[in-house]
Structure formats: C-alpha cells, structure tokens
Amino acid sequence: MNWHGAKRILCAIAMFVLCAFALTGCGTQATKQQGAPDKVKIGVSIWSSTDVLGSQCKRILDEAADALGVELVYVDQGHVSEKVTASVETLVASGCQGIIICNSSDTEMASAIKTANDNGVYLAQFFRIINKDKNPDIYAQALKSPYYIGAVHENEVENGKRLVKILLDKGCRDIGLIGWEQGDATWLGRWEGYKAGIEDWNTNHPDDQAKLSDPQYAGTSSEGGAKAAEALMSADPKLDALIPAGGGGDPLQGAIAAVERAGKTGTIKIVSTDFLPDLGERLKNGSIAGESGGHYCDPLYAFMMVYNAIKGNNKEVANNFVDMEFPYLYVSSPQDYGEYDKYFVQNLPFTKDELVEMSKMTLDQLKESAAKLSIADAAARSGK
C-alpha cells in the first residue's frame, strides 16, 4: 500500500473516532433526563440557608432529601442579581439534575430557564412566580420550556392587606414601611397589599385616617433593618407602627432591636412576614403585634415537583406552567402561636413516611396538599 492510501485510511479512522466521540457527547446531553436515575441530585438557589426563614427551609428540605435519598447542593446568592443567575450555572456544573430557585426579579429567570434548557435540567421557583402581565416574554419562555415546571408562591397582596389590618385593628394610624430590595417581585406584591389595606380603611373611615410612609430599604441584613427603622423613627416622631416587609427575618430582628433601643417597645407596634424562633415570647412582651409566616414548606413543594420530574413520575411538565399557591399562617396573639409552635417548630408538619408518599403525588395532588396545609391540618395528621 502506498503512502497516499495509508493516509486515506488513517484519516478515515480519525474521522470515525471523532464522530463517535461527538455523537456520544451529544447523546449524553440529549438523553440526560431519559430514564429515572438511581441517584438524584437537586440544587437549591436561595438568598440564605442560614437566616431565620432560610434555615427553616433548609430543615424541611434536608428532611425530605434524607427520606428520599436525594443529594442537595445549596448556593446562597443574597438576592444579588448576578449571583442569582450565576448560581444556576454553578448548580448545573455540579451535576444537579434539577434546581429549585428563589430568584429576586423576573428578569433573572430568562437566563435561568435558558441554562436549564441548554443542559436538560429541571427547574422550579419557590416563594416566587413570573408575572404574566408585566413580563409576558419571560412567561412565554417559561411556558415553552421542556424543563421549567412552575412556581410555588404566596398571595402577597392579600398578605399585605391582612397585616395592615392587624395594625389598624390595634389602633395604629401612622405606619412606617421597610422594604428589602427595590425590584423584588414579592416585595412589590406585599407593598401593593399594604397600600390597598390603607386605602380601604381610609375609604371606610373618613374621620379616622391612616397613613403609610414611603419605604426605607434595608437589604436582607439585621443592620439594614435597624438603620431603616431608625431613619423612619427620626423622620416621624408620631410613628406608631412599623412593617419590616420581609427579607428572610434578619431585617425584622434589626428593626425590633432599634425600637427597643429607642425605648418604644409596644408603643411602636410591629408586624412582618417570616416567623422568628422566639415569636411566642415577642407576642407576649409586645415587641411584635402580629406576623404572617409558617410558609417554610413552600420550597418543599418545588422540590417535590422537580424530584418527580427527574424520576419520570410526572410526564406533563414540558410546555406547562404549574402555578401552585401556598397559604400563609397568621398569628396575632400568644395563643395563636402556641399551636403553630407545637406542629411546625417542635415538630415538622410532615413525617418521613408522608414525605415519601408526597414524592409519588401528581402535580394536581401536590397542589391540593399545598393549599390545605394549616395548623389544623398538621394537628389532624399528627393524631392519626
């Protein structure tokens, strides 16, 4: 055989090897989610896994992961937009087959969904939902995605209305407002609710008007909450209430500390969202007038949606958008808190056997389970 003939054979062999390698690589990507894997790895993109609410979320997620033999990977992103989008890439690179995310703004989801699509990784939101009216293009992108499943979230407008009513019913009329991040979708929903609650009151009580301040922003730190509360108290000596809107619980703790230092505990009534560990005591001593919370199981349902998709239990996830609304629990007295403490703090509201059963539920069954979770529901199941 002459040199040219040998060269042609060698080139053909090389091309065959390269094509086989390329096909194998492409096949791995395309078939990544085909068939139920023995070992499931799920990523959690969260603002913080260590603050008040974040640690409660981690507790229930870790329990579910243990019950199902799932490996969890956490990335804390502080609701900083660049870190939120980077967290999805980090979790994909670590080999996660699915991701649950608490993003800050809808715009971050465009990048997150593209990353999920490109890598064949299932994705669900918790504590958040893409606003169909304000961001129709991103919503359409989510709907068309074969890997984006949906969102678990709360009715934040109703939450805001109910918290303002707690303050108004306790005689407060001059309310200071503390937000966390200006563009955050959840914050904007709560703010809408606070304003609607004030407007409803003022319409029905023309001779007994209430007012709500413009927001001071605190970020997600205790120090930020303290500074915001101090600024509001300084600007308005007649202030009789504060609403630290959220941010994981740390801004609330900072605001409470600032009110205590000012000697105004009980004089300035505080309501917020995200139950503190010592909420029962704070309701007794008057440092908190009421709270909404108990919603740390919200990410559990996002986790179950992703787990079921990875295991192939739910075939209807592609080109779908599951909108799962999760209920807040409301407390405004030590008595209210006592039952919550028994079934959501001293114990988790689900046993490991119940978590295993949840992992087999359809999306409709999961929605039904989420909608009915309450203190009474947890108490009834614990008595079985």
Side-chain angles (χ1 to χ4, degrees):
M1 181 183 297
N2 61 29
W3 162 243
H4 291 293
K7 188 176 179 181
R8 281 196 298 271
I9 292 171
L10 287 170
C11 287
I13 292 170
M15 287 299 294
F16 176 80
V17 171
L18 285 170
C19 288
F21 178 79
L23 285 169
T24 301
C26 292
T28 300
Q29 181 71 3
T31 60
K32 183 176 180 181
Q33 297 291 0
Q34 291 179 10
D38 293 330
K39 183 64 178 177
V40 173
K41 189 174 186 179
I42 294 176
V44 183
S45 172
I46 189 170
W47 70 96
S48 169
S49 58
T50 58
D51 71 1
V52 177
L53 178 59
S55 60
Q56 292 170 339
C57 295
K58 187 176 187 300
R59 181 185 175 201
I60 190 69
L61 288 172
D62 286 349
E63 186 77 359
D66 184 61
L68 299 173
V70 171
E71 181 183 352
L72 287 180
V73 182
Y74 291 88
V75 175
D76 291 9
Q77 25 83 341
H79 278 166
V80 176
S81 193
E82 307 82 51
K83 292 183 179 180
V84 172
T85 53
S87 70
V88 179
E89 296 166 5
T90 299
L91 291 167
V92 166
S94 73
C96 293
Q97 300 129 315
I99 295 170
I100 63 172
I101 181 170
C102 180
N103 57 295
S104 175
S105 66
D106 285 356
T107 53
E108 296 152 5
M109 290 308 297
S111 171
I113 293 167
K114 183 180 185 304
T115 301
N117 290 346
D118 290 348
N119 293 277
V121 172
Y122 289 107
L123 180 68
Q125 294 173 267
F126 63 98
F127 295 142
R128 297 291 185 270
I129 187 169
I130 297 166
N131 190 308
K132 184 178 181 180
D133 298 323
K134 293 180 181 177
N135 294 293
D137 292 345
I138 301 173
Y139 186 92
Q141 179 194 9
L143 187 60
K144 292 174 185 175
S145 168
Y147 292 102
Y148 176 86
I149 303 170
V152 186
H153 65 106
E154 289 67 41
N155 185 334
E156 298 298 354
V157 176
E158 180 62 22
N159 177 33
K161 286 181 179 179
R162 290 187 64 168
L163 286 176
V164 160
K165 190 172 187 309
I166 288 172
L167 288 175
L168 295 169
D169 287 346
K170 290 179 181 285
C172 301
R173 299 292 181 269
D174 192 345
I175 303 169
L177 182 57
I178 301 173
W180 64 100
E181 299 293 345
Q182 291 194 34
D184 187 279
T186 294
W187 148 247
L188 293 174
R190 290 179 191 169
W191 189 13
E192 183 182 338
Y194 306 141
K195 290 185 288 188
I198 293 289
E199 287 169 10
D200 288 348
W201 176 271
N202 287 342
T203 298
N204 295 316
H205 301 84
D207 298 326
D208 186 15
Q209 297 286 283
K211 68 176 183 176
L212 180 71
S213 78
D214 292 331
Q216 287 279 331
Y217 288 96
T220 57
S221 71
S222 178
E223 181 184 7
K227 287 182 177 178
E230 288 164 0
L232 287 164
M233 288 187 290
S234 176
D236 184 0
K238 295 182 180 179
L239 195 77
D240 59 14
L242 278 173
I243 305 176
D250 283 359
L252 168 60
Q253 291 180 315
I256 291 170
V259 170
E260 288 174 345
R261 286 194 296 270
K264 295 185 176 181
T265 299
T267 303
I268 294 180
K269 294 181 170 57
I270 297 176
V271 298
S272 186
T273 298
D274 304 334
F275 286 169
L276 297 180
D278 58 352
L279 178 55
E281 286 303 311
R282 293 198 173 280
L283 287 164
K284 288 178 185 176
N285 67 27
S287 56
I288 287 182
E291 275 212 90
S292 59
H295 53 310
Y296 67 80
C297 288
D298 173 314
L300 171 66
Y301 285 87
F303 167 91
M304 288 297 179
M305 290 198 299
V306 166
Y307 176 83
N308 286 354
I310 293 169
K311 298 296 282 186
N313 296 339
N314 286 324
K315 307 294 186 184
E316 67 269 33
V317 294
N319 308 115
N320 199 354
F321 193 127
V322 179
D323 180 353
M324 190 177 296
E325 192 166 294
F326 193 84
Y328 275 117
L329 306 178
Y330 295 86
V331 300
S332 56
S333 72
Q335 293 75 25
D336 292 344
Y337 185 75
E339 289 295 288
Y340 172 80
D341 181 67
K342 184 176 180 181
Y343 296 109
F344 285 77
V345 179
Q346 303 304 321
N347 299 284
L348 290 170
F350 297 104
T351 65
K352 284 197 172 180
D353 287 343
E354 287 173 326
L355 291 168
V356 171
E357 286 303 308
M358 191 182 293
S359 74
K360 302 170 186 175
M361 288 181 178
T362 65
L363 291 172
D364 284 343
Q365 288 170 332
L366 281 172
K367 287 178 76 170
E368 184 181 342
S369 172
K372 74 177 184 181
L373 184 61
S374 64
I375 295 171
D377 170 59
R381 284 185 288 102
S382 73
K384 289 182 180 178

